Amino acid sequence: MDPIEIQGKISHVIYQDEQSRYTVARFRLYDLNEKLVTITGYLPEMAHDILLNLKGNYVEHPRFGMQFKIETFHRVLPNEPESIITFLSSPLFPGIGKKFAESVVEELGAESLKLLKEDSSLIRNVKGYTPKKEDSIKAGLLNYGEDEEAIRFFTTHGLGIRNIMRLDRVYGKEAYALVKANPYRLIEEVDGIGFKTADKLALSMGFDLDDPRRLSAALIAMTMEECMRRGDSYVLYDHLNQLFEKNFQSDFEAILFTCVRENKLILLDDKVYHPSQYKAEQGIAHLLSQFPFQDLSPIDEMILDDRIELHEQAIGITYDQSQKEAIHTFFNSPFTIMTGGPGTGKSTVIGAMIQLFRQLYPSHSLACAAPTGRASKRLFELNGVESYTIHSLLKWDLETNTFGMNEKQPLAIDCLIIDEFSMVDTWLFSHLLDASAQVKKIILVGDQDQLPSVAPGQVLRDLIASKRFPVITLQHIYRQKEGSDVIQLAHQMRIKELDFKQLTHDIKWFKAPAVEVKNIIINLVQQALSKGYGIQDIQVLAPMYSGLAGIDNLNHAIQKVVNPSAFAKRELKVGTTTFREDDKILQLKNQPNDDVYNGDIGILAEVVYASEDHLKQNRILVDFDGRIVEYTSENFMNITLAYCVSVHKAQGSEYPIVILPIVPEHRFMHSKRLLYTAITRASKSLILIGDPDRFTQTTLLDRDEARATCLIEYLNQSMEVLD
């Protein structure tokens, strides 16, 4: 459907995001009826009395009804006497006033503004003319419509309206001139625009392939991409040299030293840092060397022991000596780390810490957080205390990748408990500490044998290895119920002494070649469903997307069986994936405005076809535990099928039944930490399919190579000053 045009003025703004400029407003149409309609889209801040021409289409929102979704816009110069007088006497033209505006209309007529825009000297014929008034008219009309010129330019060269609004937010009226001079500056200055986008824009504008600005931008992007790929905090000089010269055939050393001189890269010995990673490691070391800035009043040991005993009686449990020591350490130390494998009582001890803190510090606040939405929800279910994702706690802004809570706006929390901390990367932890100036007590809880963060760093391991902080290690296994075989297997993997013959109750092995794995998994899923389990209870995990036993192939195969095509079910094909009503859906990226986060799992509630939509857009509505989130072509890439998910995406979650294929085609991804993380997602039953020898060899022979970081070194440097 071709876009339509409407004209009118903004009546009032319902909502406008200060960062992205996404706007919802009521718009009065410029027609006889002066009808009010709701408009949505990206608009700069502008006065309400400005006449606008909007291009787009009407769309029926499932919750808010009919809306006009803006594709492009431009301001329209008024052409009626009263409108022209109002316009010229507005703040856009200081010093003009209503009387002189009336004289302009009297002299130049209905085409006043058009004539003056073409030749501002015509104003000299108007009674009451002064040079200052001419300058005001000239400047006001020159600026009027400047946004539209920039939008036309950027759109012509391939930028979408969302990115254009990002430029407007960062540069304002200077966007057009600044970007035209050097589009590569966008990579460093506008979050959400990377090298590929900036390079496409620059080459479209005629920039040369060997332009020094292009080569510098490429090297900076390459450094960060390599850190993300390997999980390291820096890239070694020689490795980066080889990589750069292979891709660009240019003088690496000259380009590197240009970037270093401009503080866009940091070179220390043979290490090349992106500034974000260097500042994050340095920031963590500096802030922890000073933490806390304020202390809580100490608790008498005997009082604490009495409270622990009363708590034991209240919940009918007896803590062992190591657990009591953990509780004492938490109350005696401002910064504590607690680690341990599954079944060692971490959650039980966290619950005790929360309850006792509330009793002993009734006027102080406590909050829990975790890296993922599912882990945060689990914290709440276990402890009944308000829990957040770290991103939501810090009020993360998707558009700018910045946090509302920071050193200038610190968290108003006295005690902070962070669970599943092995998943937290260096950059995120540094920002959490930035916002913790008023926090008086922090405890980090995690299993250091699980996979490290997706982004660079291995913060939990480095903090423990530094030996600078109290570390509580829970080792005794308490959980002797369903799923205890899984806990025993996890323990065996940690000490590298596997014996599957002892693990026959909750763990099942199906030895099979890779070609049979898919059919075995389908049969197992069907059996579990027939026994009364729901599809949300069963989770297939795999380390890779491609291959016979890869995530994509297994998702397609399981969907075909558990949610087949049916006349009553709508479906939508997006790329190679068919989304069908009642499908199990995985969220791939954080969407804070919708309160849905990376790793969340929901059910596809409804498909709306483009033929039914005024904007001719297909829509998918997903139910995440009662939160309905809408997806269109703009963010279809944020979801995928969730019958089978990656081990990384499952981290921080638990499922009653976990099915894990172990096949040779995944060998390059296999590591002890990956397998350990995968098997510990099972709370009741674990089913392994494939090659037992492959599992054993990976566990026993894996060297578990550490990531390249300097956090321990910086911690020692910062804290030696205080020693």
Side-chain angles (χ1 to χ4, degrees), residues 81 214 269 312 318 381 481 612 656 703:
R214 178 176 189 262
D269 300 323
E312 288 175 321
T318 300
E381 291 170 347
K481 302 176 185 177
E612 306 163 333
R703 291 180 296 173

Side-chain angles (χ1 to χ4, degrees), residues 524-534 657:
L524 289 168
V525 171
Q526 288 177 311
Q527 288 176 31
L529 292 172
S530 68
K531 291 178 181 178
Y533 288 99
I657 300 173

Side-chain angles (χ1 to χ4, degrees), residues 299-319 323-324 327-328 330-331 351-362:
I299 300 296
D300 183 270
E301 296 287 315
M302 292 181 65
I303 293 176
L304 181 56
D305 281 329
D306 289 342
R307 292 285 184 164
I308 292 173
E309 186 176 344
L310 288 171
H311 182 69
E312 288 175 321
Q313 294 171 5
I315 64 173
I317 195 172
T318 300
Y319 296 115
Q323 291 176 317
K324 289 179 180 178
I327 296 169
H328 274 272
F330 167 71
F331 280 97
M353 291 172 175
I354 290 171
Q355 295 305 317
L356 294 172
F357 184 90
R358 285 173 160 176
Q359 295 171 22
L360 295 167
Y361 296 104

Side-chain angles (χ1 to χ4, degrees), residues 537-541 584 601 642-645 655 657-659:
D537 300 325
I538 310 160
Q539 191 57 63
V540 183
L541 303 179
K584 188 177 178 183
I601 290 180
Y643 301 106
C644 178
V645 305
Y655 313 92
I657 300 173
V658 165
I659 302 173

Side-chain angles (χ1 to χ4, degrees), residues 341-342 447-451 461 477 484-500 502-503 507 509 647 660 662 670-681 686 688 692 694-704:
D447 185 345
Q448 64 175 320
D449 291 310
Q450 287 191 29
L451 287 167
R461 282 192 153 197
I477 298 173
S484 62
D485 278 359
V486 175
I487 295 168
Q488 291 295 335
L489 175 58
H491 178 67
Q492 290 180 8
M493 292 180 72
R494 294 175 79 176
I495 63 175
K496 295 189 175 183
E497 293 181 3
L498 293 185
D499 186 0
F500 281 107
Q502 296 181 4
L503 310 174
I507 298 176
W509 254 112
V647 179
L660 178 66
I662 308 292
H670 284 156
S671 68
K672 187 178 82 168
R673 292 172 81 174
L674 182 134
L675 296 180
Y676 177 91
T677 302
I679 66 113
T680 54
R681 300 310 92 208
L686 172 67
L688 301 164
R694 179 73 206 162
F695 189 101
T696 302
Q697 290 169 8
T698 300
T699 300
L700 300 182
L701 302 179
D702 185 74
R703 291 180 296 173
D704 194 17

